[in-house]
Amino acid sequence: MEKKMKNKTSKYEKKIDNILTVIIILLVGLIGGVLLDKLIVRKDVIPSSKEDDITSIYDIEPIVKEYSSINNSKVYLYNTNEVRIKDEGEYITLKEYLNKYSLKDTLLNNLELVNTLNDGGTKIYKTKEKSIFDRDLTIIMCHTTEGNEDLYFAQYIDTALAFKNGACGKKTINDKEFSRIYLIKKIKLVEDNLYELTIYDEDNKVETTIKRTMSEDSRNILKENAKFTFYFENKYGDTIKDSIEDIFQNATLKGVVPYNK
């Protein structure tokens, strides 16, 4: 009788041990799974901060390439290698789409206007939430008083920085201090200490004429047909067009030194 009782107890204890072992294994597996999920970054999950990192990288070093042309307009891709548009149920490249359809008539229905610039009518658009584009884009349709009609299809774009870097032919400056290298072609005395200087921008092949009052020492430093570094101040960081005329009109000339000295 005593043996039977011991056997029953032994079998009962074994069952409890087995159940406890299973529970422990399940707990270890559960805890291990939670830890692994935190440590391993899954391929289908992109943290929200990653998008911000990508944006900031492109803002600092924008990638712009000439892609195509329509009539007198050049088409550029900004921070993207290709743009795809849905046509009859399938995605085709932007170039194929432009060869097939009239750009403004077909695309405007899929865009919403964000801003119109006071430069002749440049418009900035964003793709609508549901559109024929394969991704969210900013589209700049240039229309400047200088006649620039270029188009930019952009991803991760700071439009102010884009214009500063030359979008729509703008090339603007908003630095508070900057310098430029110009050639002084001619120095002419107008009256007393007032001089007229003809200054030439070799990079852009344009020149302008300015008048400045100079001391004898300053006049002796300046030479005709010689390059000089001109230092400017844009005290309030205003946006200035990066052209020799706009720079001299809107920035303050702080100093001139011989080039490479």
Side-chain angles (χ1 to χ4, degrees):
M1 188 77 175
E2 198 173 318
K3 282 184 179 180
K4 286 182 180 180
M5 287 292 291
K6 282 184 178 179
N7 288 336
K8 283 182 179 180
T9 303
S10 176
K11 286 179 181 178
Y12 180 71
E13 287 175 349
K14 282 182 180 178
K15 284 182 179 179
I16 291 175
D17 288 342
N18 290 338
I19 291 169
L20 287 173
T21 301
V22 171
I23 291 171
I24 290 167
I25 291 170
L26 288 172
L27 285 171
V28 170
L30 182 62
I31 293 168
V34 171
L35 290 173
L36 283 172
D37 189 57
K38 288 184 177 180
L39 291 173
I40 298 173
V41 179
R42 291 170 293 171
K43 289 182 180 179
D44 60 336
V45 176
I46 301 175
S48 58
S49 61
K50 188 70 175 176
E51 189 78 11
D52 297 334
D53 291 343
I54 293 170
T55 303
S56 63
I57 289 168
Y58 281 130
D59 284 345
I60 296 167
E61 298 179 3
I63 301 166
V64 186
K65 69 174 183 179
E66 189 173 332
Y67 179 75
S68 183
S69 61
I70 309 171
N71 299 326
N72 295 323
S73 303
K74 289 183 180 178
V75 180
Y76 293 91
L77 298 186
Y78 198 107
N79 290 338
T80 184
N81 289 321
E82 185 58 88
V83 172
R84 299 187 185 279
I85 301 173
K86 187 172 283 188
D87 178 49
E88 298 178 358
E90 293 184 358
Y91 281 106
I92 61 175
T93 66
L94 174 62
K95 196 172 292 186
E96 291 170 326
Y97 196 90
L98 296 177
N99 289 334
K100 192 173 180 181
Y101 299 104
S102 167
L103 175 71
K104 294 180 181 178
D105 293 342
T106 53
L107 293 188
L108 286 180
N109 290 333
N110 292 272
L111 305 175
E112 57 180 85
L113 182 64
V114 176
N115 197 9
T116 301
L117 304 185
N118 187 26
D119 64 346
T122 294
K123 288 181 167 54
I124 301 171
Y125 295 89
K126 285 190 179 295
T127 49
K128 290 181 179 178
E129 189 174 343
K130 292 183 179 179
S131 73
I132 58 177
F133 291 90
D134 67 337
R135 69 192 73 181
D136 295 332
L137 296 170
T138 298
I139 296 170
I140 302 172
M141 294 187 179
C142 307
H143 186 79
T144 68
T145 52
E146 288 83 6
N148 190 296
E149 300 284 337
D150 294 341
L151 295 150
Y152 291 80
F153 289 79
Q155 191 175 22
Y156 312 119
I157 185 173
D158 177 335
T159 51
L161 184 63
F163 293 132
K164 181 178 179 179
N165 288 332
C168 298
K170 291 182 180 296
K171 275 205 164 184
T172 57
I173 307 166
N174 54 16
D175 300 321
K176 291 188 176 181
E177 293 181 348
F178 62 94
S179 64
R180 290 291 182 271
I181 298 165
Y182 296 132
L183 175 76
I184 296 180
K185 293 179 72 174
K186 190 175 180 181
I187 304 171
K188 178 183 176 182
L189 178 63
V190 178
E191 59 182 27
D192 297 330
N193 294 322
L194 181 65
Y195 291 85
E196 184 180 84
L197 287 76
T198 303
I199 301 170
Y200 183 63
D201 178 357
E202 290 184 315
D203 291 335
N204 298 298
K205 296 183 172 31
V206 290
E207 66 179 46
T208 191
T209 301
I210 64 169
K211 289 181 179 179
R212 288 290 186 274
T213 300
M214 293 188 290
S215 66
E216 187 176 345
D217 289 340
S218 296
R219 172 64 187 88
N220 290 334
I221 292 170
L222 302 182
K223 307 292 180 185
E224 293 185 348
N225 297 313
K227 287 184 183 180
F228 290 84
T229 302
F230 290 72
Y231 292 92
F232 297 93
E233 182 183 54
N234 176 20
K235 189 173 182 180
Y236 300 105
D238 295 330
T239 298
I240 300 172
K241 187 177 177 183
D242 193 358
S243 70
I244 190 169
E245 287 187 350
D246 278 55
I247 288 172
F248 277 103
Q249 283 178 8
N250 299 298
T252 303
L253 179 62
K254 301 299 290 184
V256 181
V257 298
Y259 178 56
N260 278 339
K261 287 189 179 181

